[in-house]
Amino acid sequence: MYIRIDIVNKKQYEVSDNYKEVKIIIPKDIEELKKDFLYLGLDYDSLSIQDTHIKECDVICRDNPAFSAELSGEINNIIVRASESGYTTPFNDINKFYDLIKGFEKEEERDKLLAILEAKRENIENIKDAIKFVENINCFELIEAENTEELARKLIYNGEIDMEDLIDYANLDRLGDEYADDKGMIKTEQGFLMQECDLKCDLEQEDEFGGDM
């Protein structure tokens, strides 16, 4: 898995339409990265979050093009939402996000990642928010089910619902619906997502995640 980013010098980008930009593939040799940042007028060894802005980010996963497309869409929507709120997306943060997800090789890990980014969109205003959720991915459980009836069947099979609790239900759809509502589950494209514990870190202060545009 790798990412392809379109990066600009933040200060140039904010003051003029005549700015330099470069497309970079991560991971990349450090010496080559230094040349790319030198082209942008930046020193790679002393980057701050105020120096760069990512205009676009594509995730490339050769073994799963569908995952690549969905995750790329989510990330680029985050970049747009951040811009609309007056914040840029720094290279430092997008690089950290990549470091967190690059080891997600199992389908269930990738599905959970997509489910979290979908279910928590209202809570993800910028890439640092997304990092917070990825760092806490183990706080969530994803049950793959297309509807509440299938959810109920899986819960019964897994022993999450006692047989005696089925007496009051005429159909499994209502059982699954009430269970999902009681547990605060959110329906996503990948299934039903449930947060099992509190996140281990709070949102960073606004002045730490990219600065005003």
Side-chain angles (χ1 to χ4, degrees):
M1 185 192 303
Y2 61 91
I3 58 172
R4 182 173 56 233
I5 57 176
D6 188 352
I7 185 171
V8 298
N9 181 313
K10 177 177 178 285
K11 292 182 177 64
Q12 293 178 357
Y13 182 68
E14 291 173 348
V15 301
S16 173
D17 290 332
N18 185 24
Y19 55 85
K20 291 181 178 179
E21 63 183 289
V22 62
K23 293 186 183 295
I24 298 175
I25 290 178
I26 303 295
K28 189 173 186 178
D29 177 75
I30 294 296
E31 295 304 318
E32 293 300 316
L33 274 177
K34 289 180 179 180
K35 293 178 183 178
D36 290 330
F37 280 89
L38 185 61
Y39 171 78
L40 294 175
L42 299 170
D43 181 359
Y44 177 81
D45 291 322
S46 58
L47 283 179
S48 77
I49 60 173
Q50 299 291 338
D51 287 336
T52 57
H53 172 56
I54 306 300
K55 292 178 60 181
E56 187 175 358
C57 175
D58 291 320
V59 178
I60 312 298
C61 187
R62 298 293 187 188
D63 65 333
N64 194 332
F67 171 72
S68 299
E70 290 186 60
L71 183 53
S72 297
E74 290 288 350
I75 294 173
N76 285 306
N77 284 336
I78 291 170
I79 293 173
V80 171
R81 290 200 297 272
S83 295
E84 291 174 347
S85 298
Y87 294 94
T88 51
T89 300
F91 170 79
N92 310 56
D93 288 345
I94 208 77
N95 195 42
K96 182 175 181 179
F97 182 84
Y98 169 71
D99 282 340
L100 290 170
I101 68 167
K102 65 183 180 182
F104 290 1
E105 297 181 353
K106 297 179 181 178
E107 185 174 350
E108 52 265 33
E109 292 176 316
R110 295 174 177 181
D111 284 345
K112 187 189 287 190
L113 171 63
L114 292 174
I116 291 171
L117 294 179
E118 177 186 342
K120 297 297 181 179
R121 278 179 190 150
E122 292 185 359
N123 305 103
I124 300 176
E125 189 177 31
N126 54 73
I127 195 65
K128 197 173 287 290
D129 292 343
I131 289 171
K132 177 196 68 173
F133 283 109
V134 177
E135 288 177 331
N136 288 274
I137 194 169
N138 291 330
C139 293
F140 296 87
E141 178 186 4
L142 177 67
I143 299 178
E144 297 184 7
E146 293 186 1
N147 51 54
T148 49
E149 180 177 348
E150 184 179 354
L151 172 65
R153 292 184 184 279
K154 287 195 172 185
L155 291 169
I156 294 169
Y157 180 81
N158 292 333
E160 299 290 337
I161 297 178
D162 294 330
M163 294 302 294
E164 61 185 32
D165 293 333
L166 301 177
I167 297 174
D168 296 330
Y169 292 91
N171 61 71
L172 293 179
D173 181 57
R174 186 165 69 89
L175 172 61
D177 185 63
E178 292 187 9
Y179 185 93
D181 184 65
D182 180 62
K183 297 295 184 180
M185 288 182 161
I186 300 175
K187 178 69 173 71
T188 71
E189 289 292 328
Q190 287 71 38
F192 289 81
L193 185 74
M194 176 175 63
Q195 185 171 334
E196 298 183 300
C197 60
D198 294 335
L199 304 187
K200 297 178 182 178
C201 59
D202 296 324
L203 285 173
E204 302 288 344
Q205 295 299 316
E206 288 186 349
D207 60 357
E208 295 180 359
F209 61 69
D212 297 313
M213 291 185 67

